[in-house]
Amino acid sequence: MATRHLFIELQTLNRRAKLKIIFAKFQCLCIIPALVGVDKKTCIQFCLCTFQEEMVIRPLYSGDIYASFQFRTQWDTDFLHDGKKVSHYRLFPKSLGQVLSKFSVRELHISFTQGYWRTMQWGQPFIPSPPGAELWVWFHHTVTDVDGNWKELTNVLSGIFCASLNFIDSTNTVEPSASFKPLGLGNATDHRFLRYATLPREIVCTENLTPWKKLLPCGSKAGLAVLMKSEKLFHSSFHSQAVHIRPVCKDWQCTSTAWELRQTLNVVFDLYTSGQGKKEWSLFKMFSRTLTEACPLASSSKIYVDVTDNPGGELFDLSPSSPLISTAVVLGDRRTYSVYDLTKKETFGQLRSLNLLLRWKGENDMLRPPLHAERYVSGFGLQKGEIHTCLYNSHPYRAYPVLLLDSLPWYLRLYVHTLTVTSKTRENKPSYIHYQPSKDRLRPHLLEMLVQLPPHSVTEVTVQFERALLKWTEYTPDPNHGFYIGSSVISALVPSIVAMDTNSTRDRPLFSSFFPTKEESSYFMRVYTEPLLVNLPTPDFSMPYNVICLTCTVVAVGYGSFYNLLTRTFQVDEPSAPLAKRLANIIRRLRGVPLL
Amino acid sequence: MGLLSDPNRRKAITTARILILNMILVLHGDSVVCYLAGIAWFMGLAFEPFTLRTYMSENAMGSTMVEERFPSGERALATAREFAAHKKKVGGMPVDWLVKTMRAQGLEVFTQSFSRNLPFPDESKERFVVRGTNVYGILRAPRAPRTEALVLSAPCSPGNSNNQAVGLLLGLAQYFRSQIYWAKDIIFLVNEHDLIGVQAWLEGYHHTNITGMGYTPLQGRAGSIQAALSLELNSDVVTSLDLVLEGLNGQLPNLDLANLFHAFCQKLGILCTIQGKLQRSDWDTVEGYTHSAQTMLLMVLKQASGRPWGEHGLFLRYHIEAASIRGVNSFRQYKTDATSIGRLFEGMVRKLNNLLERLHQSYFFYLMPSLTRFVSIGYYMPAFGLLTTILLLRALDLWVHLGTPTPVTEDGVGEGESPSSPGLLSVLTPVVISHLTGVALYTLPVLSQEMAVEHFPVSETEAVVLTAIAIYTAGLALPHNTHRLISGEGTEQGWRVLKLVALLYLAVLLGCTALINFSLGFILAVTLVPAAACVTPHVPKALSAVAMVLLSPGCTILYCVFLFQELQEVPVSLAEGWMLFLSVISQGILDHALYGSLVYPLLALLVYPCWLLFWNILFWK
């Protein structure tokens, strides 16, 4: 019933979005209490949802440009604890809310990515994701049949996002013991309630973008979402869209929990294919749209442009300029942003539309990211191979540990005894190894390791494998393409650049720069390696192959029975003796007299 | 089982055996027929009505349309001139310039340095200690996860050659970079020291070390390489493009790659050749037939040599379909400019980019009498089969003869022990000794070069080749030494057993070789089979000894050298031929050391000892 309901939901979503805007506009008036003159407390009780939207634009040194959208819907209700049926949905999408309550999901993270994030050229993304689809879910600890819930959930999500998530089954699902901790409230540590799966082959396109956009309160009718035209978003070097749902604190005292839905979309436009080689970017050039208004339902709607390396405007021109400047520590680095508040009229100027323009003037070298990784298969031939994972720590003097998670399908038979971890030509013994061997056709290998990366080094993790011969029905329709192996996941607490800055190259008050502050000293970072394409020994599925198979079967069956007939000696079977006679014979045998 | 214990059935089996025996006696004289039939079949393969027309098997490349729009041939030539100037200035590979240029085009650029000490100096290319750098740039396909790649490579050759190839490569890189349709990463590789550079790069890319190369590890990769094209271009305009397919150990790329090249040459109106020979339409004339026979024989000879005949040859080991395309500028009037060649490459790369799977639909084992005709494995194998049948028939014949002295009685248990059964020793000794000679032939030339240089006024290369020839010749004296080891005179039964073993050995050896490298197996069979079939201790010694030597593997190489020169229409005199023969031997040994070619070890360790066994039989008494 639920799935059917969802289907109808999906169909009517578009029509409802418009109604919702009109309806919610009326309700949300109370978000700005001053306008209506309602007491703030009563308003919070009345309005249970808030919605924020923002976009960050980061010019990359390669000349490319990175645009990251974040849409955050917070819903101050807890439908897991109360046990009551929640039927009144406002900004929070009903399709997801129902899924959360039906499957007792505590946290859900799903991402669809087309392309590979080039850490060496682009630095770090705000929210990393592996190529293809990735899904990880923490279930509530009251769930008894986690695997059953997981299976149903993947199928439902597959319908919601029009993706092949239904291909997630036990052969590509793992329960990581350390790499994926809950990001929201609650310190669940029992990884029996965690499920993680990737589909590296999943191709992301418009059909996945449309349902994702429909989850937004304003759809793609107003606000930042008007920029999301698929013909431009998919004319890019990298495209990633994600949905993250987690429980968060309702207020700063954390007296009760609220649900947070974060929809993110990251896209990188290429200098040569989208920018015609000119280092000049504008909203119109990127998205073929300009902005005219914020989403009316949004409590805040902002655009941030990273101007950290451009304090005096020597690197690029930004127009129109904005008086608002905001600083924040992002990914271990203190960044400065120009802020454009879309809820304010003056942002749009006289033309009533905002078209940010970025014009490069200078060249600059990029900071190396402190951590990056690559992976490849070595060797040749179709029998054996070796997976190499190289982890680069480019921090000049700090060593730090990283967690490496590898989930490999069963048809690569790992030789775990060949697992080696070397850095600087010396063996590097992992301090923690969690290995779960695969079972043929049932579950994949899971390998998790905690490895200490020495400063300024390359750590190489190698493991040999043998390629299994599949049954002929198990090959994909394009067996000669190869089989995809999902990315490995590297999670680390990386020493931040801010804390690293000991000789204070930037102007800061002296009293602030002696001890590195605790919360800035290191930050969490997740890096995904590229997926692998491995060729397995493949039969030639051609007509002669089929003929040979068929002939062999016929010959085997025919020869077997014919040979049987030839070699068997036939005897006339005497009817078995009557019972009396047999009894008599037994007695005779006992007596030692000849038998009858 | 009942089959053997039933007297009636046993009788039937005995009758069948006698029948086979008679058949063999009849066939005894048919060896000649078999041999001639084999050769005739093979030569018939070049006759057009007997061959198949090539056709595109791969759907992803056949029906999809691509447009070639590469505009900047002139600019590519300007880049080539710039490259040439920088090459001259640096006196080698202009690494910094290449890195800068490629980076400016928006590629991810990496370098790899390598070094290799040759086992002995390579005189034809004048190198002994090789040090160099490869430069490659990766064009990252938009929205692709770095799982698949294509390679375009051009060598940075010494002197003035191949500048245009590098220029065109860079021109293509610039044009490709601004396109959105790439689904696979494209690697543009400029390698130094031709094949050694490619070998170093491939070993680095696949993180293997099979030939003892020293190289720095690669920093950037792009997943599994699906196909590679290598470009050799020496002039601004060309008259025709030549397709080179033969790779290491006689491996060939998928036939679809040749079809793809031919299809685009047709589309763009570029003259295309294979083995440097244009196609002729008059197949029904003698000249037409001779022409295609020449083309096919050239392919057979090249394949049999086991050498990589272009840079693509080394890719094949890694299951990467690859071909070299070589620009030829002759005195013909009709010229093709760099823009058209660029378009040809653009079209080919775009179609390869459209591939969903690796090239696998078409043939991997084929011979090409022309670019539009091919002979598949099913057609050429009977020719070889006919030759090996002779060996098998002879072996069967010997086996029956060895068995006949014991009469088959009606109530006998089967064949009794032969009364004059030769000892195991008399058979094993020649086998072991000839193989030891083979091991000496394989190891000593390279090992003893220093000693030879000290004692004789020769260079290292000459020392290696001459040592090899000396050991080869010394092996001919073996029969006398073998006899000293075996006590007593060789018996009649003895040589028969030895010959039976040698025949089967040769049959298995040639069979396995032909499966991997048909041409090599066939050429060896053509010379070795007559010697193997006819040799007995009873034929006139001197005459047959001469015949045997003339049919030995070493002389086969010599004939191949002359035939090759003849087919390439550059005939050589005897002395020149001899010099070429010597260089071929040194190249064979070098190919084995540098790239892992298997022809030299095969000849030294297996074929030569096998031939020595027959030589032994000749001098049995």
Side-chain angles (χ1 to χ4, degrees):
Chain A
M1 272 316 279
T3 36
R4 195 171 149 233
H5 192 103
L6 286 176
F7 182 66
I8 298 165
E9 176 84 4
L10 272 176
Q11 282 191 324
T12 55
L13 211 76
N14 200 15
R15 186 154 38 88
R16 284 164 47 115
K18 285 178 203 162
L19 287 174
K20 225 186 331 186
I21 291 174
I22 301 162
F23 182 61
K25 253 185 184 170
F26 171 71
Q27 280 195 335
C28 258
L29 285 177
C30 60
I31 289 172
I32 315 154
L35 281 179
V36 197
V38 187
D39 185 26
K40 197 173 181 180
K41 265 186 189 166
T42 47
C43 185
I44 287 167
Q45 278 170 0
F46 181 58
C47 307
L48 297 164
C49 289
T50 53
F51 173 66
Q52 293 166 299
E53 55 177 12
E54 66 179 47
M55 170 164 80
V56 186
I57 295 175
R58 189 161 92 194
L60 303 168
Y61 295 109
S62 54
D64 304 341
I65 197 154
Y66 172 34
S68 171
F69 294 86
Q70 296 231 5
F71 301 91
R72 181 172 182 265
T73 312
Q74 193 177 330
W75 187 18
D76 302 347
T77 184
D78 196 347
F79 42 76
L80 286 186
H81 279 299
D82 293 354
K84 64 175 183 190
K85 216 171 158 96
V86 181
S87 53
H88 182 65
Y89 289 83
R90 216 167 57 80
L91 298 179
F92 200 90
K94 191 174 180 183
S95 55
L96 285 181
Q98 284 179 330
V99 169
L100 293 185
S101 58
K102 175 154 198 288
F103 300 107
S104 308
V105 173
R106 203 181 164 75
E107 239 180 64
L108 183 144
H109 303 269
I110 185 167
S111 75
F112 300 98
T113 308
Q114 185 74 7
Y116 180 72
W117 183 268
R118 304 170 197 167
T119 317
M120 289 304 281
Q121 273 96 53
W122 298 340
Q124 293 162 50
F126 294 116
I127 296 181
S129 56
E134 184 198 41
L135 175 65
W136 56 286
V137 174
W138 275 94
F139 288 96
H140 205 262
H141 58 82
T142 50
V143 177
T144 46
D145 181 16
V146 180
D147 284 320
N149 268 18
W150 168 249
K151 180 128 195 70
E152 264 187 76
L153 175 69
T154 52
N155 279 290
V156 170
L157 288 176
S158 166
I160 293 178
F161 291 104
C162 289
S164 325
L165 295 173
N166 52 327
F167 283 102
I168 292 176
D169 55 12
S170 68
T171 59
N172 49 18
T173 304
V174 288
E175 302 166 26
S177 66
S179 291
F180 289 89
K181 289 289 158 211
L183 298 179
L185 279 181
N187 45 358
T189 46
D190 192 351
H191 62 262
R192 280 181 300 141
F193 297 103
L194 169 65
R195 291 292 180 275
Y196 174 81
T198 53
L199 293 173
R201 209 183 176 169
E202 181 71 14
I203 289 165
V204 186
C205 203
T206 325
E207 62 188 20
N208 309 103
L209 182 69
T210 313
W212 182 91
K213 278 197 291 197
K214 284 181 180 172
L215 298 176
L216 295 171
C218 290
S220 50
K221 302 279 180 294
L224 291 173
V226 296
L227 299 177
M228 291 176 190
K229 291 290 159 195
S230 49
E231 78 267 19
K232 278 292 180 184
L233 287 187
F234 292 104
H235 198 284
S236 57
S237 294
F238 176 83
H239 171 94
S240 168
Q241 60 190 62
V243 170
H244 301 276
I245 302 171
R246 58 178 182 175
V248 291
C249 286
K250 197 188 233 169
D251 43 28
W252 66 275
Q253 282 163 324
C254 216
T255 47
S256 60
T257 58
W259 282 90
E260 183 199 69
L261 163 72
R262 221 179 247 257
Q263 286 180 257
T264 63
L265 188 138
N266 294 299
V267 62
V268 175
F269 293 100
D270 188 83
L271 172 70
Y272 293 89
T273 54
S274 315
Q276 289 103 41
K278 278 186 233 156
K279 288 187 162 187
E280 192 182 300
W281 293 102
S282 65
L283 281 188
F284 190 78
K285 200 166 169 185
M286 288 191 269
F287 302 104
S288 74
R289 289 285 183 289
T290 53
L291 286 171
T292 51
E293 57 167 343
C295 171
L297 303 178
S299 60
S300 94
S301 174
K302 282 175 183 156
I303 296 181
Y304 296 85
V305 182
D306 193 333
V307 292
T308 318
D309 309 298
N310 193 32
E314 63 269 13
L315 207 56
F316 54 81
D317 272 340
L318 181 64
S319 68
S321 57
S322 166
L324 281 174
I325 295 287
S326 141
T327 43
V329 174
V330 182
L331 299 166
D333 194 7
R334 189 171 283 112
R335 313 292 296 180
T336 317
Y337 296 93
S338 271
V339 187
Y340 297 84
D341 194 343
L342 299 185
T343 50
K344 295 199 174 107
K345 255 214 171 100
E346 58 266 27
T347 314
F348 298 102
Q350 289 180 328
L351 292 169
R352 298 271 179 112
S353 85
L354 177 66
N355 183 21
L356 282 174
L357 192 69
L358 259 161
R359 203 177 280 120
W360 283 85
K361 293 195 292 195
E363 294 273 337
N364 201 347
D365 266 345
M366 204 186 92
L367 271 181
R368 283 212 149 192
L371 170 69
H372 82 106
E374 61 167 3
R375 193 158 70 136
Y376 59 92
V377 177
S378 75
F380 57 91
L382 289 176
Q383 198 201 350
K384 283 185 186 173
E386 193 169 33
I387 294 181
H388 288 247
T389 312
C390 300
L391 311 168
Y392 295 83
N393 174 6
S394 42
H395 198 289
Y397 56 88
R398 284 273 294 273
Y400 53 86
V402 296
L403 258 172
L404 175 72
L405 167 83
D406 248 327
S407 157
L408 300 163
W410 61 266
Y411 40 76
L412 299 191
R413 305 243 155 85
L414 282 193
Y415 293 159
V416 188
H417 70 278
T418 60
L419 178 73
T420 55
V421 184
T422 45
S423 30
K424 294 184 169 170
T425 67
R426 230 180 282 152
E427 200 196 336
N428 183 347
K429 209 170 172 14
S431 47
Y432 165 78
I433 294 188
H434 172 72
Y435 175 66
Q436 190 187 37
S438 70
K439 278 184 190 162
D440 275 9
R441 298 170 180 87
L442 279 182
R443 71 168 191 217
H445 301 270
L446 170 67
L447 182 62
E448 272 186 295
M449 283 189 291
L450 187 67
V451 186
Q452 183 83 8
L453 302 187
H456 201 70
S457 68
V458 187
T459 303
E460 199 167 12
V461 181
T462 62
V463 62
Q464 288 179 12
F465 64 86
E466 188 186 271
R467 298 159 208 247
L469 194 63
L470 301 187
K471 290 178 182 169
W472 68 282
T473 45
E474 287 169 345
Y475 286 96
T476 50
D478 51 352
N480 284 291
H481 180 64
F483 290 77
Y484 282 88
I485 315 294
S487 314
S488 10
V489 189
I490 295 141
S491 321
L493 278 176
V494 179
S496 72
I497 301 167
V498 177
M500 218 168 96
D501 192 13
T502 47
N503 59 354
S504 59
T505 47
R506 285 182 201 158
D507 281 339
R508 269 197 286 162
L510 287 178
F511 58 82
S512 73
S513 62
F514 188 63
F515 292 111
T517 42
K518 180 77 182 84
E519 55 278 345
E520 287 180 351
S521 66
S522 60
Y523 65 99
F524 182 77
M525 184 173 172
R526 190 167 278 159
V527 174
Y528 291 93
T529 64
E530 48 270 75
L532 301 174
L533 187 61
V534 176
N535 277 85
L536 295 187
T538 311
D540 154 35
F541 290 103
S542 63
M543 191 269 283
Y545 167 80
N546 293 331
V547 171
I548 290 168
C549 285
L550 195 71
T551 332
C552 286
T553 317
V554 170
V555 166
V557 172
Y559 174 79
S561 40
F562 193 66
Y563 183 73
N564 190 356
L565 279 179
L566 276 180
T567 52
R568 178 176 291 179
T569 44
F570 291 100
Q571 283 178 341
V572 181
D573 190 18
E574 286 180 14
S576 61
L579 188 69
K581 195 175 175 182
R582 271 189 278 168
L583 278 175
N585 273 341
I586 290 166
I587 297 162
R588 274 168 168 263
R589 193 179 289 138
L590 288 174
R591 282 171 58 202
V593 184
L595 304 183
L596 276 175
Chain B
M1 295 307 260
L3 193 67
L4 296 176
S5 52
D6 186 356
N8 288 331
R9 285 186 193 141
R10 205 168 64 213
K11 206 172 186 174
I13 289 171
T14 324
T15 334
R17 224 189 114 189
I18 292 165
L19 207 76
I20 292 170
L21 215 145
N22 288 333
M23 258 171 65
I24 288 165
L25 290 177
V26 171
L27 283 172
H28 204 120
D30 287 0
S31 293
V32 182
V33 178
C34 255
Y35 186 79
L36 292 179
I39 302 283
W41 185 296
F42 177 74
M43 291 317 290
L45 295 177
F47 189 49
E48 202 172 302
F50 295 162
T51 56
L52 293 173
R53 215 183 159 71
T54 52
Y55 53 91
M56 194 74 89
S57 295
E58 177 63 57
N59 266 331
M61 292 200 310
S63 54
T64 50
M65 301 296 287
V66 293
E67 281 180 357
E68 303 83 38
R69 289 184 178 160
F70 176 69
S72 45
E74 284 308 314
R75 205 153 119 201
L77 291 180
T79 319
R81 284 189 283 277
E82 203 180 330
F83 169 73
H86 282 273
K87 192 164 86 173
K88 213 170 190 177
K89 205 167 79 188
V90 183
M93 179 116 153
V95 177
D96 295 332
W97 180 82
L98 275 170
V99 169
K100 212 181 87 205
T101 315
M102 283 186 175
R103 198 161 279 156
Q105 289 171 344
L107 307 183
E108 282 181 33
V109 192
F110 305 94
T111 56
Q112 180 206 28
S113 48
F114 58 91
S115 67
R116 179 80 168 93
N117 292 350
L118 271 56
F120 56 91
D122 182 357
E123 288 194 340
S124 62
K125 283 180 178 149
E126 291 169 357
R127 56 188 182 189
F128 182 43
V129 179
V130 179
R131 263 171 230 293
T133 313
N134 293 324
V135 179
Y136 64 104
I138 305 178
L139 191 169
R140 296 288 181 196
R143 282 169 290 107
R146 296 193 178 177
T147 45
E148 292 171 280
L150 302 171
V151 173
L152 271 177
S153 80
C156 170
S157 322
N160 250 341
S161 52
N162 279 325
N163 292 335
Q164 281 82 357
V166 177
L168 190 55
L169 192 82
L170 295 174
L172 284 172
Q174 184 162 30
Y175 174 71
F176 286 177
R177 183 64 181 85
S178 54
Q179 307 305 318
I180 190 75
Y181 43 63
W182 301 115
K184 298 174 170 60
D185 291 1
I186 304 175
I187 303 174
F188 297 90
L189 167 69
V190 180
N191 57 291
E192 206 176 353
H193 298 298
D194 49 67
L195 288 170
I196 297 181
V198 176
Q199 178 76 17
W201 189 79
L202 280 169
E203 289 194 2
Y205 195 92
H206 295 93
H207 200 108
T208 54
N209 203 338
I210 28 182
T211 55
M213 179 89 66
Y215 58 80
T216 54
L218 296 195
Q219 293 296 317
R221 286 188 173 75
S224 81
I225 303 174
Q226 305 287 306
L229 290 175
S230 173
L231 174 60
E232 287 170 40
L233 203 60
N234 287 318
S235 51
D236 289 358
V237 285
V238 297
T239 45
S240 61
L241 290 177
D242 189 42
L243 179 69
V244 188
L245 297 171
E246 300 83 5
L248 185 71
N249 290 325
Q251 268 186 294
L252 298 171
N254 196 283
L255 186 58
D256 269 342
L257 204 61
N259 296 338
L260 183 68
F261 170 74
H262 184 244
F264 273 101
C265 281
Q266 294 282 306
K267 189 175 173 190
L268 297 166
I270 301 175
L271 278 182
C272 52
T273 59
I274 188 163
Q275 322 298 351
K277 303 225 181 250
L278 276 173
Q279 193 175 0
R280 286 175 70 135
S281 50
D282 54 341
W283 58 268
D284 45 356
T285 60
V286 179
E287 290 84 34
Y289 170 74
T290 326
H291 186 80
S292 53
Q294 278 177 349
T295 317
M296 190 182 76
L297 276 177
L298 267 175
M299 179 159 187
V300 167
L301 287 175
K302 280 185 177 178
Q303 197 189 7
S305 74
R307 309 187 54 185
W309 284 83
E311 290 195 344
H312 72 282
L314 297 171
F315 284 87
L316 297 170
R317 181 207 294 270
Y318 300 92
H319 196 8
I320 301 165
E321 304 314 317
S324 289
I325 293 167
R326 198 168 279 165
V328 180
N329 196 13
S330 67
F331 300 110
R332 211 180 274 270
Q333 278 224 308
Y334 183 79
K335 302 279 187 194
T336 305
D337 61 345
T339 309
S340 304
I341 305 172
R343 288 196 174 161
L344 176 101
F345 273 89
E346 186 200 350
M348 286 182 77
V349 173
R350 279 196 69 179
K351 283 235 180 175
L352 290 171
N353 175 57
N354 285 345
L355 278 184
L356 297 175
E357 302 180 59
R358 276 172 188 281
L359 283 176
H360 70 283
Q361 298 275 10
S362 195
Y363 295 87
F364 284 96
F365 296 95
Y366 54 86
L367 296 176
M368 296 190 93
S370 73
L371 250 182
T372 51
R373 295 269 157 183
F374 76 102
V375 182
S376 79
I377 185 168
Y379 287 76
Y380 64 59
M381 264 310 182
F384 175 79
L386 283 167
L387 294 189
T388 24
T389 317
I390 300 170
L391 295 179
L392 294 179
L393 284 179
R394 284 299 156 120
L396 204 57
D397 181 26
L398 272 176
W399 181 64
V400 170
H401 275 297
L402 281 171
T404 30
T406 353
V408 183
T409 48
E410 276 298 302
D411 52 3
V413 190
E415 295 160 44
E417 278 292 301
S418 165
S420 57
S421 171
L424 185 68
L425 203 66
S426 68
V427 179
L428 207 60
T429 326
V431 173
V432 170
I433 289 182
S434 51
H435 277 89
L436 287 179
T437 323
V439 171
L441 179 59
Y442 176 63
T443 51
L444 286 185
V446 177
L447 284 181
S448 65
Q449 50 167 318
E450 280 178 21
M451 209 172 68
V453 170
E454 270 175 34
H455 291 89
F456 301 98
V458 285
S459 71
E460 277 99 339
T461 321
E462 283 168 342
V464 170
V465 176
L466 294 178
T467 319
I469 294 176
I471 295 171
Y472 187 88
T473 327
L476 302 185
L478 268 187
H480 313 286
N481 305 336
T482 325
H483 277 288
R484 251 173 253 154
L485 275 173
I486 311 168
S487 46
E489 197 75 345
T491 56
E492 188 72 6
Q493 206 73 359
W495 75 261
R496 285 201 168 142
V497 174
L498 181 61
K499 190 175 172 185
L500 175 63
V501 171
L503 280 172
L504 292 177
Y505 182 25
L506 185 63
V508 170
L509 189 61
L510 291 180
C512 294
T513 312
L515 277 183
I516 299 162
N517 184 348
F518 164 77
S519 304
L520 184 60
F522 186 78
I523 287 179
L524 287 176
V526 167
T527 50
L528 286 179
V529 165
C534 302
V535 69
T536 56
H538 306 301
V539 287
K541 282 266 153 29
L543 196 67
S544 2
V546 172
M548 278 290 284
V549 171
L550 287 179
L551 291 175
S552 76
C555 291
T556 312
I557 301 177
L558 188 65
Y559 307 145
C560 287
V561 169
F562 280 108
L563 183 63
F564 184 72
Q565 293 299 327
E566 197 63 38
L567 290 171
Q568 286 221 310
E569 290 158 16
V570 268
V572 284
S573 68
L574 269 179
E576 283 169 332
W578 178 252
M579 289 317 289
L580 266 177
F581 171 67
L582 295 185
S583 79
V584 160
I585 292 174
S586 73
Q587 286 300 317
I589 298 174
L590 268 181
D591 282 348
H592 172 59
L594 290 180
Y595 319 120
S597 157
L598 292 175
V599 175
Y600 172 56
L602 177 84
L603 289 179
L605 292 174
L606 297 169
V607 177
Y608 174 62
C610 188
W611 177 83
L612 274 184
L613 290 180
F614 293 107
W615 182 253
N616 246 312
I617 291 163
L618 185 64
F619 294 100
W620 190 255
K621 288 198 171 145

